[in-house]
Each structure stands twice: as C-alpha cells, then as structure tokens.
C-alpha cells in the first residue's frame, strides 16, 4: 500500500503560481511513476503531468506544457508540481497518484490515489 499527503492548493489570481507537493509513504519502492491528475466539475479526470521514479522521464498534457513543471525528490519520496501562469481553466481538484507498472498515460494505469487538493484560479 502507498499513502499520500498532498499540500499546496489554494486560491490564486490569473497569472499567478502555486506549487503542489505530494509526499508518499508505505511501499514506495514499488512505485514506477507518479502523476498529477485534475478534475474540474462536470469533466473527466485528466492527466496533467507524470514523472518516472527512476530516470526522471516526464510527460505533460499539451494544455500545461511550458507552464507546469513536475519534479521529484526520491530521498523524500515527494513529487512536486510547480504551476506558473495559471489560468481560470486550470481550476480543478488536483490528485496525486502512483503507478506500479509500465504504462503511465491514463488514469486506469494508476494504482494509488491521494485525497485531492483544490486549486482555484480567479480574480
């Protein structure tokens, strides 16, 4: 089992920045990749960014490329999502998730999920 503690969400004005953190505990040695998903009201959960635990390969959704950066600190078992130039359409609940297998581009590929943290971009 893997558990998460997420933090960093909140209210920010358009153009502002936030950094989300996700600290994992438990069977972290089994994690292949970590991802950040988001879900806005009435919309499906979408993968925003992901990072391999070994090697550091990353994936970004087209909608966040150039604005968001995912990073990891394996010593702290923590993954971060730095979000810059935030837009109102970035408003959603953001979830941290862990993947144990080779596939990492879809929500069905992830095995453990955090509780979510609200990000609201509004003036």
């Amino acid at each position: 089992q893997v558990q998460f503690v997420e933090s960093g969400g909140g209210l920010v004005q358009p153009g502002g920045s936030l950094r989300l953190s996700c600290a994992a505990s438990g069977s972290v040695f089994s994690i292949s990749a970590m991802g950040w998903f988001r879900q806005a009201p009435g919309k499906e959960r979408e993968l925003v960014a992901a990072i391999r635990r070994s090697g550091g390969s990353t994936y970004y959704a087209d909608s966040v490329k150039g604005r968001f950066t995912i990073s990891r600190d394996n010593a702290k078992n923590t993954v971060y999502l730095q979000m810059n130039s935030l837009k109102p359409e970035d408003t959603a609940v953001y979830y941290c998730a862990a993947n144990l297998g080779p596939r990492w581009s879809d929500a069905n590929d992830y095995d453990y999920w955090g509780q979510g943290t609200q990000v609201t971009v509004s003036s």
Side-chain angles (χ1 to χ4, degrees):
Q1 293 288 326
V2 178
Q3 298 82 36
F4 303 105
V5 176
E6 299 176 8
S7 61
L11 173 64
V12 64
Q13 292 186 345
S17 298
L18 282 174
R19 189 176 83 151
L20 305 183
S21 298
C22 175
S25 61
S27 301
V28 296
F29 60 90
S30 63
I31 295 173
S32 175
M34 298 271 300
W36 285 100
F37 288 77
R38 66 186 180 188
Q39 187 165 21
K43 294 188 177 182
E44 293 186 356
R45 189 171 297 191
E46 63 169 339
L47 178 62
V48 174
I51 187 166
R52 288 289 187 194
R53 189 168 186 272
S54 177
S57 298
T58 57
Y59 166 89
Y60 293 96
D62 287 342
S63 58
V64 306
K65 282 181 181 176
R67 300 189 298 124
F68 290 12
T69 303
I70 190 169
S71 61
R72 76 198 192 293
D73 184 337
N74 285 346
K76 296 181 179 180
N77 295 317
T78 300
V79 64
Y80 305 96
L81 185 68
Q82 178 66 43
M83 305 185 293
N84 298 328
S85 303
L86 282 161
K87 305 175 181 179
E89 51 264 43
D90 294 319
T91 296
V93 177
Y94 284 70
Y95 297 90
C96 175
N99 163 293
L100 306 184
R103 299 171 64 87
W104 64 331
S105 61
D106 185 83
N108 292 326
D109 298 329
Y110 288 76
D111 302 278
Y112 298 102
W113 294 84
Q115 78 282 2
T117 184
Q118 177 70 45
V119 171
T120 302
V121 184
S122 175
S123 55

